[in-house]
Amino acid sequence: MIYVKDAFPREQYELAYLTLWEYCFVKHIDISVPTNMAQALSGHFTKSQVVDILTAAQTPQYKQALAETTLKLYEEYVAFGAPWFWVRNDPTAEAEPFFGSDRWGYIWDFLGLPYQNVEILPKDKAKL
């Protein structure tokens, strides 16, 4: 995704990022498998662009960029695992790290946002 961020418009990068998020954390598809990554990216890029993206990811330049970014996140933010969120509700306000896709309620509380938690419905009200 570092290459995508460097080579494509921000909007295209963000849409691709959201799709990868969906593949990982909603559909539970392993995007470390090149064919799965290609499938995810194909909704936002041409076939030749997908090939370019996958090829760039294997170059020393982008492997080094990923290693440097990972090290920086660990050293500066003590980030580990994915998903990792560094949340700040105002540019001058306190920031807080959150780890895990099950932390949305904590994030909304931190930001002071109203939200409704997911609830389990009784079997007679559930659509099966």
Side-chain angles (χ1 to χ4, degrees):
M1 288 305 292
I2 296 171
Y3 171 78
V4 172
K5 193 173 186 180
D6 287 349
F8 295 93
R10 179 180 178 153
E11 296 79 17
Q12 196 171 11
Y13 164 79
E14 289 176 355
L15 289 171
Y17 183 89
L18 289 173
T19 297
L20 293 179
W21 178 274
E22 180 182 350
Y23 266 60
C24 287
F25 299 109
V26 177
K27 296 179 178 180
H28 305 288
I29 296 172
D30 183 357
I31 61 169
S32 71
V33 176
T35 54
N36 294 343
M37 175 66 88
Q39 180 185 14
L41 295 174
S42 68
H44 305 287
F45 303 96
T46 66
K47 286 182 182 182
S48 65
Q49 289 172 328
V50 170
V51 170
D52 291 345
I53 292 166
L54 295 177
T55 301
Q58 298 304 314
T59 65
Q61 172 189 354
Y62 284 100
K63 284 184 174 189
Q64 181 64 32
L66 176 60
E68 289 170 2
T69 300
T70 302
L71 183 61
K72 178 181 178 179
L73 289 170
Y74 175 74
E75 289 179 343
E76 292 183 23
Y77 298 102
V78 195
F80 59 90
W84 180 269
F85 304 98
W86 190 259
V87 180
R88 181 184 316 270
N89 61 0
D90 180 298
T92 60
E94 180 182 355
E96 187 74 30
F98 295 91
F99 171 70
S101 60
D102 61 340
R103 298 295 190 245
W104 294 110
Y106 297 111
I107 294 171
W108 305 148
D109 284 340
F110 177 76
L111 294 172
L113 296 171
Y115 67 95
Q116 183 176 351
N117 263 334
V118 174
E119 63 181 279
I120 297 173
L121 298 173
K123 283 187 179 184
D124 62 329
K125 292 186 179 186
K127 294 180 181 179
L128 299 177

